[in-house]
Amino acid sequence: MSEQQLNEQELVKYLAERSKVSAETISLVLKHEAAFIDKAQNSAKGQVVDIDSDELVDYVLKQRDVKLDEITIETILDMEMDYLVEHGFADQED
């Protein structure tokens, strides 16, 4: 895997083009996703964190500033994972 850095603007543009959701809304979803993951990592106290995608989607849905439906959030997060795998930032797990 290369030592390249994730370009968040490129990721947001990629997701916005494919999902037809505004870049501002995509950034908001990604911000809430990051908060959820950070909270899970902090509570794991150094152990490996297993993120449940259903819990993540539910968390994002509950945020007052997110005005998307469950399917759209799932689509955005799935496309984000596809992007990360495709660009070598993540490995696809079953």
Side-chain angles (χ1 to χ4, degrees):
M1 207 178 320
S2 67
E3 294 265 337
Q4 66 190 53
Q5 244 184 322
L6 176 63
N7 181 334
E8 188 171 340
Q9 288 180 329
E10 182 181 297
L11 171 61
V12 169
K13 181 180 176 187
Y14 172 92
L15 295 173
E17 288 173 355
R18 283 158 183 77
S19 68
K20 307 300 184 212
V21 174
S22 74
E24 182 179 294
T25 301
I26 297 286
S27 293
L28 192 58
V29 169
L30 297 179
K31 178 187 91 168
H32 289 306
E33 174 192 31
F36 179 86
I37 292 170
D38 287 345
K39 184 178 177 183
Q41 288 176 333
N42 289 338
S43 66
K45 298 178 182 159
Q47 296 179 8
V48 175
V49 178
D50 186 25
I51 303 295
D52 181 285
S53 62
D54 291 333
E55 289 178 15
L56 173 58
V57 170
D58 288 344
Y59 175 83
V60 174
L61 270 173
K62 290 178 184 174
Q63 305 311 303
R64 290 183 181 181
D65 53 355
V66 175
K67 306 295 184 215
L68 298 173
D69 60 49
E70 182 176 356
I71 301 290
T72 304
I73 293 170
E74 286 176 352
T75 300
I76 291 168
L77 296 175
D78 287 344
M79 285 189 297
E80 177 197 18
M81 182 54 74
D82 291 344
Y83 176 92
L84 295 174
V85 170
E86 182 179 311
H87 289 84
F89 294 106
D91 294 324
Q92 185 68 41
E93 292 187 25
D94 293 325

